Each structure stands twice: as structure tokens, then as C-alpha cells.
Amino acid sequence: MIKMAQFHHIKFLHEVEGLSQRQIAQKLGISRNTVSKYLKQNEAPTTIHRQKNYHGKEYSDETKRVLPIIDQWLEDDLKRWGKQRHTAARIYRRLVDEYDFKGSESNIRKVVAKRKKKLQEVFIPLDFQLGHQFQFDWGEADIILQGRTQRIYLFCMQLSASRMRFVRAYLHEKQEAFLDGFVHAFEFFGGVPTEGVFDNLKTAVVKILQGRDRLEQDAFLALQAHYLFKAEFCNIRSGNEKGRVEGTVGYVRRNAFVPLPDVQSLEELNAYLLDWCLREAEEKTVPFTKETVAQMWAKEKEYLHPLPEKKFEACRLVSCQVNKTSLITVETNQYSVPCSYVGQAVWAKMFVDHVIVVAQNQVIAEHPRSYERNQMITNLDHYLEALLKKPRAIRDAHAFQSSDLPDVFRRFHRKMREQEGAAGDRKFIRLLLLHREIGMEKLTQALREAEQAQVYRYEVVHEIIQRLTNNYLQVQDLSKEKTPVNLLDYKIQKANVAQYGQLTGGQMK
């Protein structure tokens, strides 16, 4: 098959310069038959024509014998994971080993390439209704968190009609992060679409049933009931069914995370991502329209279902037993509860950033959540009743050494113990109990004022607290002349016991 330039040269030499076929063949270094063939053609040999001639060749009998086998293997591959399908080389090897194929591997490569094109799936252009659908997916990215490289997980949601994106970063893909992402996403979008498209992720699906039916997680069903949307699940290994958000994950990673964001906290990162989503919406247009994503989003808000009055409680429930040290254990970490619940069964609500402990439908403790391992998170207030019975333990109590407790408490306790011994421990614990009435802020202020006056006594702190809380009872001071220098010099009149006898009729009991 000659090229277009050669065809043009042959025609030009013959028609314009008047050369014979022999002369043209000698000049171009081709056979006279080739010159004769193309001089007879009125139409130029276009690329399409040449490909048609080339691919129109009949297969050999040996190749025809294995064509049905190749087609069956390729069709079966469509139902399998994309990374574990037949290659042309593997097909050739199997044909040789299992069907005694005698043809060449290069020929099988050409056959497989051609047959795969015929089996390619056809995709239909879609035009989504405003407010009808959103698509969700998880992604991953690296950031620099407090000077160290950290892998984080991206909750990515996109409204199918307006193309508006929402992205939020988490340290994991656990159920509480999954649920928390929807709470923030719906707040950001300003409403709830009718349905969402999901992969078959474990945080949403317990079991895959027949067709598109799924046995869904109770927590995920509760989320749908709260926000009134319906979940639709993709076929297995069919990410293309939520292609909008699949593209979003890669786009976010390439554009919002290059170079790596350098942040001090996830809160800072999420504020940056929220701003990035809004800026992108102002700059990008919706395909096949002249409107920006932000403009289309403003229209789509009118079609979204309104948000419920209360936010969904995005947490994972864990059943726990309170041990003898008044601690529960969740994911290797221990959290304290009031000592009156020792030995009881309680529920821990695991939120993304905090833990709430519940017993008999009452919240009994709340702690910031730790993502380290084998940590103990305690609250001194949970142990005060026990410390009243064991006051010496205050010195070494884990909760008393916490960095969350102001240093003035430890300094004040040392002084009270130096001055009053074991009685100082008991009185200091009584001081700690006062925070339940006045709050930790006022108690801390009272201790600091007493420390400045260098007076480390329960009575003095109590008097300062009364003044700070406007419960101060002003007592009239004695004059300087009447004030005794030594309390032993202060005399009071002794009671007359005989007067008691008169009151009882002379009968002493």
C-alpha cells in the first residue's frame, strides 16, 4: 500500500510530465504493476480505504478455530475486576497450552485488540434534573500536618446537575467520619437531594443481595430517614456509574493538594478546602451551558429538600463495661466516667472529634477523642467522691496530673499539705468539689487570689468565692482595741448548767 504522496507523484509524472509507466517505475523505484494499478484509480487511496483493505483480510482456518474461545474469554472478563483480566499474551499462552494453537502470538494480539473494540461498553449522555441526585466517593491525599507528612481521607460529594463539589478531610474512613461528612455536606449545599449514588462500601452496606438490592447498615438507614433521601448503589466494580464524583476525586487531588498543603490542624485544612470549592464554583462553567457552577448551584438550591431542624447525630455506638478504675476502653484508649458507674454497662458514642458516654439514656461523661494508641483520658471530677474516702491518693491521681488542670491547683495543694498534713488533702478535695457549683473558672480565680495573698486555707478560698459569686456576707470588724492579739486571750462567759435544770423542772437527764 503506497502513501498519499506517492500516489500524487505517480499521477503528476504521468499526466503533467508525460512520463511512461516504465519511466515512472524506474524514477520512483517501484514496480510497473504498482504504477499501472494506481494510474487506473480515479480515487485517492485515503486512510480509511487503506485500513478497510488491510483489516478486511480473512482469518486463517487456524485462527477461525479459536475465535469463539477468545470471544468467550473476553466476555467473561467484563464481569471481573479490571486488574485481573486476560491480556493478549495470556490468551495466546492458554490457546497453545489448552487448544494446541499453531498460529503466531502477534496475530493473536491483533485479533484480541479488534475483538475488544467490539465489546467496549456504550455510555449514554445524561442530563440530571436539578435537586435530584448527588454522587459520593472517598479519596486519599497526603498533606503536611504539624511538620510531618500525613495521609488523609477525602469525603467527596458532588451535585449531579450543578456540578457543585463538597470536600472534607478526615483521618480515617470509619462510619462516624462517613456520617459526619453528610451532616456537613448537606449544611454546605443548603438542602438535601432526592437520591444519592454510592459504591458498595462497608460503612453503608452489610450485604449485597440480588441485582441492586442491598442490606444496608442501620446507622446509614437512620441517616437517610433523618434527611429523607434514598441511596442507590452501583453494580459491583462499576465506578463509571458515578463518573462525576470519580472524576472529582482525582481533580481535587491534583489541584487542591499540589503542592502539599502545610497545616497545623484538620480544621485549618477543611477551612481551606471549603474556600477552594467556592472559588472553583465561581471560575468553572457547567458543560454545555454558559452558566458557572455557582450560578447553577443557586438555582439547584430551590429544588433541594429543606434541612431538618436538628442535625443528625453522626456517631458510632460501642458497648462498654466500666472497670474498677472507673474507665471504659475503646480502640485501645481508656476514658473515665463518674466512679458511681463502676461495674456497669454503658454506651460510648464515638464522634469524629469527641466521645460521649451514656448510661440509662443520660450523658455521664464527655471527652475529646484520641487517635493515638493506649492513651488514658481522665476527668478529675469523676473521682472526687472516691478521693473524699481516699484523700491521700490526690497527690498521684492521673487526672490531677493532667495538663488541662491549671498549675495553681497543684501548687495550692502542696502548700495546704505542708501546713495541715492529711487534713490539707481532705480540705483541698472539698475545694475541688466547689467547681460543680461555681464553675472551674471562678474556682481557679479564687485560688490565684488566695495564692497572691499567700494564704492557703479552705476558709479563705471559700470567702473569696462568696465575694466572686455575690454571696459575700459583710461581717463588721472589731475595733483595733477589742481585737485580741492571741486567740487564747479571747474569753467568753461559761454556760450556767443550773439554768438547764430549771427549764426541765429540776430533773437532770
Side-chain angles (χ1 to χ4, degrees):
M1 183 67 64
I2 65 170
K3 295 180 180 180
M4 185 69 74
Q6 287 179 305
F7 177 77
H8 168 262
H9 210 174
I10 291 170
K11 287 283 189 179
F12 185 85
L13 292 175
H14 185 264
E15 301 293 341
V16 178
E17 296 189 6
L19 298 184
S20 66
Q21 293 183 14
R22 182 186 298 275
Q23 289 172 324
I24 295 172
Q26 290 176 346
K27 188 169 184 176
L28 298 181
I30 57 179
S31 71
R32 279 197 306 163
N33 291 337
T34 299
V35 175
S36 175
K37 174 183 175 181
Y38 287 105
L39 284 177
K40 293 176 182 178
Q41 288 186 6
N42 295 322
E43 222 176 297
T46 62
T47 302
I48 294 175
H49 182 66
R50 292 200 301 271
Q51 288 179 347
K52 183 178 178 181
N53 287 339
Y54 176 77
H55 291 297
K57 291 181 180 178
E58 285 290 326
Y59 293 121
S60 66
D61 291 339
E62 181 67 358
T63 301
K64 287 179 180 179
R65 179 174 71 86
V66 297
L67 280 179
I69 301 168
I70 294 174
D71 289 340
Q72 185 61 54
W73 287 349
L74 293 177
E75 286 182 13
D76 291 343
D77 275 352
L78 294 177
K79 305 172 186 176
R80 298 191 178 98
W81 186 29
K83 295 182 180 180
Q84 205 167 341
R85 295 178 180 176
H86 283 88
T87 62
R90 179 58 185 151
I91 287 176
Y92 171 73
R93 192 72 261 156
R94 284 192 65 184
L95 290 173
V96 172
D97 294 342
E98 299 173 28
Y99 296 92
D100 195 27
F101 180 66
K102 302 299 183 183
S104 67
E105 182 175 348
S106 61
N107 184 46
I108 291 299
R109 288 182 183 276
K110 294 173 184 177
V111 171
V112 169
K114 184 177 180 181
R115 310 303 269 197
K116 278 186 175 181
K117 285 183 179 180
K118 288 185 177 181
L119 290 173
Q120 282 184 347
E121 186 177 356
V122 177
F123 299 101
I124 301 171
L126 301 176
D127 188 9
F128 294 96
Q129 298 175 5
L130 291 172
H132 179 68
Q133 188 193 87
F134 69 84
Q135 298 180 6
F136 161 79
D137 201 6
W138 281 109
E140 296 180 19
D142 286 341
I143 64 169
I144 299 174
L145 181 62
Q146 296 180 357
R148 298 173 60 185
T149 301
Q150 171 77 46
R151 175 66 52 86
I152 52 98
Y153 300 87
L154 301 174
F155 179 100
C156 300
M157 187 189 290
Q158 183 168 347
L159 298 178
S160 298
S162 66
R163 312 291 181 101
M164 187 63 199
R165 298 186 180 100
F166 171 81
V167 184
R168 187 172 178 84
Y170 293 94
L171 292 174
H172 54 73
E173 296 177 320
K174 295 177 182 178
Q175 191 176 66
E176 52 269 36
F178 175 66
L179 299 174
D180 185 75
F182 286 100
V183 174
H184 286 89
F186 292 145
E187 290 286 334
F188 174 75
F189 288 136
V192 185
T194 305
E195 70 174 30
V197 181
F198 298 83
D199 277 330
N200 299 283
L201 60 170
K202 292 181 179 179
T203 48
V205 175
V206 176
K207 186 178 180 181
I208 298 174
L209 305 176
Q210 190 73 23
R212 289 184 181 269
D213 292 336
R214 304 291 185 267
L215 178 62
E216 298 177 46
Q217 294 279 5
D218 285 345
F220 185 50
L221 287 170
L223 178 80
Q224 295 177 59
H226 187 83
Y227 287 106
L228 300 177
F229 73 91
K230 182 182 178 182
E232 294 288 340
F233 295 94
C234 296
N235 286 312
I236 301 173
R237 294 182 291 275
S238 297
N240 58 279
E241 294 181 6
K242 54 179 181 57
R244 295 272 168 91
V245 76
E246 289 276 352
T248 286
V249 172
Y251 183 84
V252 170
R253 188 164 40 230
R254 292 188 298 271
N255 291 273
F257 288 86
V258 178
L260 273 61
D262 190 347
V263 296
Q264 294 301 307
S265 66
L266 280 188
E267 289 74 16
E268 181 184 347
L269 177 63
N270 284 325
Y272 158 73
L273 289 174
L274 210 60
D275 181 65
W276 181 85
C277 289
L278 292 171
R279 283 189 284 106
E280 284 282 311
E282 294 290 346
E283 297 171 3
K284 301 294 182 181
T285 57
V286 178
F288 311 111
T289 73
K290 295 181 180 180
E291 294 183 285
T292 65
V293 170
Q295 290 170 335
M296 188 70 81
W297 177 35
K299 292 181 179 180
E300 187 161 21
K301 284 182 182 180
E302 299 178 7
Y303 293 85
L304 299 175
H305 299 301
L307 293 168
E309 292 182 4
K310 294 183 179 180
K311 291 183 179 180
F312 181 75
E313 197 171 42
C315 65
R316 177 168 52 95
L317 282 175
V318 180
S319 178
C320 305
Q321 190 80 15
V322 183
N323 65 17
K324 291 181 179 180
T325 52
S326 200
L327 296 166
I328 62 169
T329 302
V330 185
E331 297 177 342
T332 77
N333 293 321
Q334 295 184 309
Y335 301 89
S336 69
V337 301
C339 55
S340 59
Y341 291 92
V342 167
Q344 294 190 28
V346 297
W347 288 98
K349 293 184 175 182
M350 307 301 294
F351 292 83
V352 169
D353 54 359
H354 65 286
V355 177
I356 291 178
V357 186
V358 179
Q360 292 88 43
N361 295 323
Q362 296 291 325
V363 175
I364 62 172
E366 185 170 357
H367 296 278
R369 183 171 177 178
S370 172
Y371 285 102
E372 302 294 329
R373 292 183 61 80
N374 303 310
Q375 300 296 302
M376 184 185 294
I377 299 93
T378 55
N379 186 328
L380 183 58
D381 181 71
H382 295 161
Y383 296 93
L384 292 181
E385 282 78 9
L387 286 170
L388 282 173
K389 300 175 182 178
K390 302 176 180 180
R392 289 184 59 186
I394 186 66
R395 291 174 294 176
D396 303 311
H398 179 274
F400 191 56
Q401 308 305 323
S402 170
S403 59
D404 294 334
L405 192 69
D407 286 337
V408 66
F409 282 81
R410 286 179 281 272
R411 294 195 302 267
F412 208 91
H413 171 250
R414 283 195 297 269
K415 290 293 184 180
M416 289 186 72
R417 181 168 180 78
E418 288 173 6
Q419 293 180 4
E420 302 184 62
D425 288 335
R426 287 191 295 273
K427 290 181 179 180
F428 181 74
I429 294 166
R430 287 173 57 199
L431 279 178
L432 292 176
L433 282 166
L434 292 175
H435 91 275
R436 295 179 180 176
E437 301 175 19
I438 65 170
M440 187 60 75
E441 185 178 347
K442 279 191 169 58
L443 180 57
T444 304
Q445 184 180 349
L447 291 180
R448 284 177 176 154
E449 286 191 24
E451 185 181 47
Q452 287 178 349
Q454 296 186 350
V455 181
Y456 302 93
R457 299 183 65 82
Y458 173 87
E459 296 78 11
V460 172
V461 176
H462 195 272
E463 185 177 320
I464 295 172
I465 289 172
Q466 287 182 314
R467 176 168 50 80
L468 291 174
T469 56
N470 297 320
N471 291 326
Y472 182 66
L473 180 62
Q474 185 69 37
V475 179
Q476 187 175 2
D477 294 334
L478 291 172
S479 63
K480 189 173 183 181
E481 293 77 18
K482 293 181 180 181
T483 304
V485 176
N486 192 325
L487 287 177
L488 294 176
D489 297 335
Y490 187 70
K491 307 292 184 181
I492 61 171
Q493 185 179 359
K494 292 184 179 181
N496 186 351
V497 180
Q499 291 179 346
Y500 177 75
Q502 295 175 3
L503 291 171
T504 57
Q507 296 180 359
M508 301 292 292
K509 294 184 179 180

